[in-house]
């Protein structure tokens, strides 16, 4: 579908010009449709039109994948202690610029048995969706380099800032053998410090194989992570980090 959308977007201006003299309404409709076909998969998280976004993983057990965005942050030691106490394995989708500054925290994440994913170099949440291909490449590759300096290998998973992506993202990821990872359940914990509110948002979308998205770096992050994990464990779920072969695109 990606090729069809890009092809249509490329020829839409020409079609608009050809139609303008006979039907301005039809011409404008073609132009608006081409924009919509690009904007929808760019701005809507987990939309698959521009390429696969992994939102679940294969499992026959009551297993979940806990993913934690936006670190390493000052609360990393506390978050790691919470996860260790609860016996949980997670993937931290980190910002490259913070990983470089807090390499000690990134190393501790790995030492404790967790994995690191790429969440871009500087997390340009307001502009990532419209970055030029060269800028997308720099965001991915600089973060890869920061993680590789810690783990001696580049990450295999990428999560776009705010879940947005553009036509340049998948070609860059393909070049580096990386997978775009979305989520199944999210608590929007960057908008509230109330663990109960987060839990109410997460629970309806949780089922075996779900990818749970939470954040660190906020005053309430550790408390929210702890409360969410405890309640999900009470429901009989365990937490694993699936290999790439188990990831799925359907929600």
């Amino acid at each position: 579908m990606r090729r069809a959308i890009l092809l249509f977007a490329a020829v839409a201006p020409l079609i608009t010009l050809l139609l303008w003299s006979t039907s301005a309404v039809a011409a404008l409709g073609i132009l608006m449709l081409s924009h919509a076909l690009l904007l929808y998969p760019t701005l809507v998280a987990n939309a698959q039109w521009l390429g696969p976004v992994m939102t679940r993983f294969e499992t026959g057990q009551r297993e979940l994948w806990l993913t934690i965005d936006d670190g390493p942050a000052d609360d990393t030691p506390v978050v790691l202690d919470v996860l260790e106490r609860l016996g949980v394995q997670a993937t931290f989708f980190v910002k490259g610029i913070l990983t470089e500054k807090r390499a000690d925290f990134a190393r501790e994440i790995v030492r404790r048995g967790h994995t690191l994913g790429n969440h871009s170099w500087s997390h340009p949440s307001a502009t990532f969706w419209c970055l030029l291909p060269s800028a997308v490449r720099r965001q991915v590759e600089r973060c890869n380099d920061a993680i590789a300096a810690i783990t001696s290998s580049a990450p295999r998973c990428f999560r776009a800032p705010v879940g947005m992506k553009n036509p340049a993202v998948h070609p860059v990821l393909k070049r580096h053998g990386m997978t775009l990872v979305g989520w199944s359940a999210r608590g929007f914990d960057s908008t509230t410090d109330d663990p109960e509110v987060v839990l109410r948002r997460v629970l309806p979308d949780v089922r075996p194989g779900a990818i749970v998205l939470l954040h660190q770096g906020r005053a309430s992050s550790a408390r929210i992570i702890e409360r969410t994990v405890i309640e999900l464990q009470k429901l009989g779920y365990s937490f694993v980090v699936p290999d790439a072969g188990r990831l799925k695109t359907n929600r």
Side-chain angles (χ1 to χ4, degrees):
M1 181 174 286
R2 178 179 179 275
R3 290 182 179 178
I5 291 173
L6 295 180
L7 178 61
F8 182 67
V11 301
L14 177 60
I15 297 173
T16 299
L17 289 174
L18 293 175
L19 287 176
W20 189 261
S21 61
T22 57
S23 175
V25 172
L28 289 174
I30 291 292
L31 193 61
M32 292 174 65
L33 178 60
S34 69
H35 282 69
L37 288 174
L38 279 175
L39 286 175
Y40 175 81
T42 295
L43 301 179
V44 175
N46 295 331
Q48 310 281 332
W49 293 5
L50 295 177
V53 184
M54 303 303 166
T55 57
R56 303 191 60 77
F57 66 95
E58 294 275 6
T59 181
Q61 310 296 320
R62 289 181 69 81
E63 295 177 329
L64 304 173
W65 182 12
L66 176 61
T67 62
I68 301 172
D69 286 5
D70 289 357
D74 289 342
D75 62 352
T76 295
V78 177
V79 171
L80 290 174
D81 287 345
V82 167
L83 297 179
E84 184 171 346
R85 185 169 67 253
L86 297 176
V88 170
Q89 198 176 26
T91 295
F92 288 73
F93 281 91
V94 296
K95 303 175 186 178
I97 191 169
L98 296 182
T99 300
E100 192 173 86
K101 289 178 178 178
R102 297 311 309 262
D104 53 338
F105 283 174
R107 289 192 185 93
E108 185 65 8
I109 290 171
V110 175
R111 191 189 71 79
R112 299 265 196 124
H114 307 287
T115 58
L116 299 177
N118 184 324
H119 197 33
S120 79
W121 168 255
S122 61
H123 198 274
S125 56
T127 59
F128 187 80
W129 67 275
C130 62
L131 291 182
L132 294 174
S134 58
V136 171
R137 186 179 67 251
R138 286 194 298 271
Q139 285 287 332
V140 173
E141 291 179 350
R142 289 188 71 184
C143 187
N144 275 357
D145 291 344
I147 292 173
I150 304 299
T151 64
S152 299
S153 61
R156 288 289 172 255
C157 294
F158 174 77
R159 174 170 285 153
V162 204
M164 295 181 182
K165 62 276 180 201
N166 65 32
V169 171
H170 280 89
V172 171
L173 298 184
K174 183 177 180 181
R175 186 178 303 120
H176 292 282
M178 300 177 72
T179 299
L180 183 58
V181 176
W183 55 81
S184 316
R186 66 185 301 190
F188 293 93
D189 48 321
S190 59
T191 66
T192 180
D193 59 1
D194 187 340
E196 301 308 315
V197 171
V198 172
L199 193 59
R200 287 198 298 270
R201 292 168 176 170
V202 168
L203 286 178
D205 295 320
V206 168
R207 56 188 59 85
I211 302 173
V212 180
L213 165 60
L214 294 174
H215 295 82
Q216 66 170 122
R218 284 80 174 172
S220 57
S221 292
R223 187 160 49 95
I224 286 173
I225 291 170
E226 182 174 26
R227 177 82 173 104
T228 303
V229 168
I230 287 174
E231 289 306 311
L232 291 173
Q233 288 178 327
K234 287 180 180 178
L235 293 174
Y237 286 104
S238 59
F239 293 86
V240 299
V241 176
D243 58 56
R246 295 170 66 188
L247 298 181
K248 300 167 59 178
T249 59
N250 61 307
R251 296 192 69 189

